[in-house]
């Protein structure tokens, strides 16, 4: 698909459509939608900003590429003066006192925010069912989950309610729902985009990630949000990726895939067959394909959840009704903390907090947490070795197709295993893009750290190959 951002930009410049009309149409679609994608609309702000864009165009002034382009924001980002609920009872009345750096950069570029989008509460889940706003329904089949935790963001893009959306990816939270709804979703290299103002889930793997219908739109939004931020010391300076550099994939000579992902009883037979068919087409283009050895998916999932739950327990400890959150009084201060957290957290959040506290508790931290850190270091070393042999690693996004709504809630272990192919790349802090081709839930393209450009380049190659 062509760039929606460029198409709408040209329509605005040519005065084929007014920005106010464009924004109002998208707001109307969001209001009437039955996929449960909306936590709150930013209609007053959006229409005010749209009127300013129209006035600028009427005055004969030039507008930037993102100026007047409507977008959505996962409800875990701070936007000053707006509700930021994380789809939770605990923060359902919380208003942001400031704006996240990544979102502020989009505002500065003139993009127009329409909506705070439904998601798994605090990003805890792989289905967007763990939310007080109702399960988000898949864009293609409403009986299926949308994927999580950025399910509302993915569905809004897939249904054209927003031109692009900003999700958050910790263990696959952008890539998996992008795959379930057949669009593009990027987890950039960790640190390329500031996390300041993104509600922390697992800080060592949290990433800001754009979701869109074209590679070009992903590139445009990525460039705007990237860069060093003094408010997030994990960020680093990065050069903008030009449109020209990602159109030619001649420099990509070798592609690898993890054979234990594919030669596994857990993978759906059709997903396996489609993936191997995609590999065959890539070989036919003269690219060398190598099988790689990697950690078993069970090891990846258990390592990821060990570390993620530990970080969750730490990050969410401040949500006690005194510092933050909807307070419920008890007989004592300790009771107040206990009741507030018990009544306001979702079952999935409580499961992760309890698990994290167990991992970090005295007597277990050496045995479990430090062992998890050690395995993560081995995973990173394995990736460094692999990227000396291949330019790109390709994999299915998920081993199976999206489950029916309700199934994940009754079987949390199955939900965790749906992340089996995404969490390893999160632990490696690698740039990884979901593309809507190759298998029912798409393919995942990964390159070495800080090589986001190569990921987009190979995505363009696949678009013309598969």
């Amino acid at each position: 698909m062509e760039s929606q951002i460029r198409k709408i930009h040209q329509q605005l410049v040519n005065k084929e459509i007014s920005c106010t009309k464009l924004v109002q149409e998208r707001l109307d679609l969001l209001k009437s939608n039955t996929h449960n994608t909306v936590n709150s609309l930013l209609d007053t702000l959006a229409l005010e900003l749209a009127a300013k864009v129209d006035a600028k165009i009427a005055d004969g002034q030039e507008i930037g590429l993102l100026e007047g382009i409507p977008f959505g924001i996962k409800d875990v980002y701070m936007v000053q003066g707006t509700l930021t609920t994380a789809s939770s009872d605990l923060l359902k009345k919380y208003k942001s006192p400031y704006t996240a750096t990544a979102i502020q950069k989009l505002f500065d570029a003139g993009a127009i925010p329409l909506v705070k989008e439904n998601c798994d509460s605090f990003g805890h889940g792989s289905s967007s069912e763990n939310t007080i706003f109702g399960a988000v329904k898949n864009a293609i089949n409403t009986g299926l989950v949308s994927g999580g935790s950025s399910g509302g963001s993915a569905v809004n893009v897939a249904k054209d309610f927003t031109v692009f959306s900003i999700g958050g990816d910790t263990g696959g939270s952008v890539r998996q729902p992008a795959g379930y709804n057949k669009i593009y979703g990027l987890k950039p290299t960790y640190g390329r985009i500031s996390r300041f103002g993104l509600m922390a889930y697992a800080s060592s793997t949290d990433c800001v990630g754009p979701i869109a219908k074209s590679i070009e739109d992903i590139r445009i939004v990525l460039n705007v949000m990237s860069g060093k931020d003094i408010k997030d010391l994990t960020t680093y300076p990065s050069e903008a990726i030009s449109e020209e550099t990602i159109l030619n994939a001649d420099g990509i000579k070798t592609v690898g895939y993890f054979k234990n992902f594919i030669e596994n009883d857990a993978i759906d037979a059709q997903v396996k067959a489609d993936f191997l068919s995609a590999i065959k087409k890539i070989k036919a283009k003269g690219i060398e394909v190598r099988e790689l050895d990697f950690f078993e998916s069970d090891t990846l999932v258990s390592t990821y959840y060990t570390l993620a739950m530990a970080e969750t327990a730490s990050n969410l400890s401040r949500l006690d009704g005194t510092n933050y959150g909807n307070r419920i009084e008890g007989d004592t201060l300790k009771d107040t903390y206990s009741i507030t957290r018990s009544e306001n957290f979702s079952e999935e959040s409580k499961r992760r907090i309890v698990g994290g506290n167990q991992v970090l508790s005295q007597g277990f931290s050496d045995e479990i947490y430090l062992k998890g850190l050690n395995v993560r270091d081995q995973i990173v070393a394995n990736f460094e070795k692999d990227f000396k042999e291949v330019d790109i690693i390709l994999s299915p996004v998920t081993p199976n197709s999206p489950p029916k709504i309700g199934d994940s809630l009754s079987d949390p272990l199955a939900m965790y295993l749906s992340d089996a192919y995404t969490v390893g790349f999160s632990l490696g802090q690698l740039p990884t893009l979901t593309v809507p081709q190759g298998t029912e839930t798409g393919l995942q393209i990964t390159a070495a750290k800080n090589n986001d450009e190569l990921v987009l380049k190979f995505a363009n190659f696949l678009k013309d190959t598969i």
Side-chain angles (χ1 to χ4, degrees), residues 348-360:
E348 184 55 37
S349 290
K350 283 188 274 191
R351 192 177 294 121
R352 296 184 186 208
I353 291 169
V354 169
N357 283 327
Q358 175 75 5
V359 167
L360 295 173

Side-chain angles (χ1 to χ4, degrees), residues 77-78 98-103 193-199 208 229-232 235:
Y77 286 94
M78 302 296 161
Y98 61 93
T99 299
T101 297
I103 305 301
I193 301 175
S194 170
R195 291 177 293 110
F196 178 76
L198 164 63
M199 211 172 285
V208 179
D229 179 14
I230 58 171
K231 296 171 185 169
D232 178 356
T235 53

Side-chain angles (χ1 to χ4, degrees), residues 25 151 231 239 245 264 279 321-322 372:
E25 284 176 354
K231 296 171 185 169
E239 290 185 10
T245 57
N264 189 315
I279 289 292
T322 297

Side-chain angles (χ1 to χ4, degrees), residues 203-219:
S203 305
S204 67
T205 52
D206 286 339
C207 286
V208 179
I211 300 171
K213 278 192 161 179
S214 75
I215 300 162
E216 175 63 358
D217 288 350
I218 292 282
R219 184 193 69 83

Side-chain angles (χ1 to χ4, degrees), residues 14 38 48 60 62 64-65 82 97 109 113 151 154 156 203-204 221 261-262 274 278 293 377 379 393 410 464:
N14 294 342
V38 177
E48 283 176 4
E62 282 189 15
L65 191 54
T82 70
N156 281 340
S203 305
S204 67
V221 177
F261 277 17
I262 305 306
D274 290 344
D293 292 317
D377 290 345
I379 289 168
I393 292 175
S410 60
D464 300 328

Side-chain angles (χ1 to χ4, degrees), residues 4-128:
Q4 295 301 291
I5 292 174
R6 290 193 181 281
K7 180 182 172 186
I8 293 171
H9 172 74
Q10 207 54 53
Q11 288 174 332
L12 291 171
V13 169
N14 294 342
K15 299 182 181 176
E16 295 168 19
I17 185 172
S18 76
C19 190
T20 299
K21 185 170 187 290
L22 169 71
V23 165
Q24 188 61 64
E25 284 176 354
R26 302 283 175 140
L27 286 170
D28 290 343
L29 289 171
L30 285 163
K31 279 180 192 169
S32 61
N33 100 84
T34 57
H35 289 263
N36 292 333
T37 62
V38 177
N39 285 4
S40 59
L41 287 176
L42 308 176
D43 42 1
T44 302
L45 173 62
L47 289 168
E48 283 176 4
L49 293 172
K52 289 179 181 176
V53 174
D54 283 335
K56 204 169 169 181
I57 294 170
D59 197 37
Q61 297 182 50
E62 282 189 15
I63 59 169
L65 191 54
L66 273 182
E67 214 159 344
I69 304 296
F71 75 105
I73 305 168
K74 184 179 180 179
D75 201 9
V76 290
Y77 286 94
M78 302 296 161
V79 178
Q80 189 173 31
T82 70
L83 289 169
T84 302
T85 70
S87 297
S88 70
D89 270 321
L90 196 62
L91 296 177
K92 63 186 174 187
K93 295 178 182 175
Y94 178 74
K95 283 194 173 181
S96 310
Y98 61 93
T99 299
T101 297
I103 305 301
Q104 186 60 52
K105 286 187 173 184
L106 293 169
F107 287 176
D108 293 345
I112 295 183
L114 299 186
V115 56
K116 301 297 277 294
E117 297 166 320
N118 200 358
C119 56
D120 280 306
S121 180
F122 295 103
H124 299 159
S126 303
S127 63
S128 288

